[in-house]
Amino acid sequence: MPEASGAPDRARPPESDAERRRRRARFLRELAEARELRDRVQPRRAKTARLRHAMRMRTFRW
């Protein structure tokens, strides 16, 4: 657990790019899994979120 005082990076040595990418990939996998679970549990909310996202993408200007 990082220390409350000061920057949290001081206690740990700097992580390598590979470690950061692994940690990020794990986070994104868990996030996708949580989204899938939420979509299964709340299908109506998932449908409205999909429709809202589609509307946002249609009105987005490149």
Side-chain angles (χ1 to χ4, degrees), residues 20-32:
R20 189 182 59 80
R21 281 194 300 269
R22 265 195 301 275
R23 202 164 39 88
R24 182 174 186 273
R26 187 177 66 225
F27 169 76
L28 291 175
R29 273 195 308 272
E30 290 172 358
L31 183 64

Side-chain angles (χ1 to χ4, degrees), residues 2-11:
E3 295 177 25
S5 63
D9 291 336
R10 265 190 236 160

Side-chain angles (χ1 to χ4, degrees), residues 1 4 8-9 14 21 24 38 40-43 51 58:
M1 187 140 219
D9 291 336
R21 281 194 300 269
R24 182 174 186 273
R38 190 183 62 205
R40 277 198 308 270
V41 172
Q42 301 173 331
L51 293 173
R58 272 195 301 256

Side-chain angles (χ1 to χ4, degrees), residues 33-50:
E33 185 181 334
R35 260 194 207 120
E36 289 171 9
L37 177 62
R38 190 183 62 205
D39 290 352
R40 277 198 308 270
V41 172
Q42 301 173 331
R44 187 178 298 164
R45 186 173 290 179
K47 181 180 178 184
T48 57
R50 272 196 313 274

